[in-house]
Amino acid sequence: MRAMQIPLDHPLLQRIVDDLAEKGWSRQDGFLPQALTLELAAECRKRAAEGELAPAAVGRGPAQEIREGIRGDHIQWLEEGDAAVCDTYMALMDSLRLAMNRGLFLGLEDFESHFAMYPPGAFYLKHLDRFRDDDRRMVSAVIYLNNAWLPEHGGQLRMYLKDGVEYDVVPTGGSLVVFLSGEVPHEVMPATRERLSLTGWFRRRGNEPF
């Protein structure tokens, strides 16, 4: 699939930028075309079938450990050139990176992302995406790859917003959620069926950890 770029003044990108400036998060249903969503889901399942997805750890560096009582997803990080469909997705996200830099002056330098597969019943407890000793992650981005997902399947992303507001996002295929990594606590609720996503972080140049 040919790599896609979105013009920086596209209304979709501008809505995201405006939302981040106003409230610190944005939800955009139908961000990905259906064909691309299905192809990315197929790539994720293929990698899972080949044993390439591994249980995700919590913490970072030497302190990393697998703790299924905190998170139960299986992941694989994307590498440029591994698959054309993943390169297409990364090109789209780079358009968003440039638009956020232009509109919000965030100084975002790169984007890292991984496939995430949650088996039925798996969850990820409430957390922030920014590490205490590493401030490079600025904006989190989650794209869902689930076909024909219904609210009763569960698996919502629950964001804990200002003034005690809880906001749930149903992980419908093709939808995008972005939020400020250091300011929006969130969790993944358990689902009754397999739940697929691409989770990533736009990063700035930050203070290197000791």
Side-chain angles (χ1 to χ4, degrees):
M1 182 176 288
R2 183 174 59 85
M4 297 180 181
Q5 291 283 346
I6 305 177
L8 300 190
D9 59 355
H10 192 285
L12 176 58
L13 298 185
Q14 290 306 303
R15 283 200 300 272
I16 295 171
V17 169
D18 291 344
D19 283 348
L20 286 173
E22 179 183 347
K23 57 186 182 179
W25 64 277
S26 181
R27 170 186 173 181
Q28 300 296 328
D29 295 332
F31 179 82
L32 287 190
Q34 185 180 28
L36 179 56
T37 302
L38 293 174
E39 193 171 346
L40 284 165
E43 179 68 20
C44 182
R45 290 196 174 92
K46 178 178 78 71
R47 296 182 184 206
E50 294 171 352
E52 296 181 8
L53 272 65
V58 297
R60 65 189 304 270
Q64 278 193 337
E65 58 180 329
I66 306 298
R67 297 183 63 183
E68 292 185 357
I70 295 178
R71 65 182 297 187
D73 53 327
H74 292 68
I75 69 170
Q76 186 190 41
W77 292 93
L78 301 190
E79 299 290 343
E80 185 176 358
D82 278 353
V85 66
C86 296
D87 289 347
T88 296
Y89 153 73
M90 295 294 279
L92 286 173
M93 301 310 281
D94 198 56
S95 296
L96 177 54
R97 179 185 69 84
L98 295 172
M100 289 189 294
N101 277 346
R102 188 174 76 166
L104 301 172
F105 308 103
L106 293 178
L108 304 172
E109 291 197 334
D110 61 17
F111 179 69
E112 60 179 2
S113 183
H114 62 64
F115 281 116
M117 174 181 285
Y118 285 80
F123 54 87
Y124 193 164
L125 295 182
K126 183 179 178 182
H127 63 284
L128 278 173
D129 279 350
R130 182 182 289 176
F131 298 112
R132 283 191 291 267
D133 62 349
D134 186 341
D135 64 356
R136 286 176 293 178
R137 288 180 175 178
M138 289 292 292
V139 180
S140 303
V142 185
I143 286 186
Y144 297 109
L145 307 176
N146 307 297
N147 189 36
W149 194 277
L150 300 174
E152 53 264 35
H153 293 146
Q156 295 90 345
L157 173 72
R158 177 165 295 169
M159 295 188 291
Y160 294 88
L161 306 174
K162 296 177 181 178
D163 300 321
V165 174
E166 297 179 6
Y167 184 86
D168 285 356
V169 178
V170 176
T172 307
S175 61
L176 167 71
V177 180
V178 297
F179 51 89
L180 297 178
S181 301
E183 297 183 17
V184 181
H186 56 283
E187 65 178 311
V188 176
M189 312 303 291
T192 60
R193 53 176 280 200
E194 186 177 79
R195 178 188 187 277
L196 307 180
S197 66
L198 278 160
T199 301
W201 297 271
F202 294 95
R203 303 188 304 177
R204 67 179 178 185
R205 178 178 295 169
N207 298 322
E208 289 296 328
F210 294 108

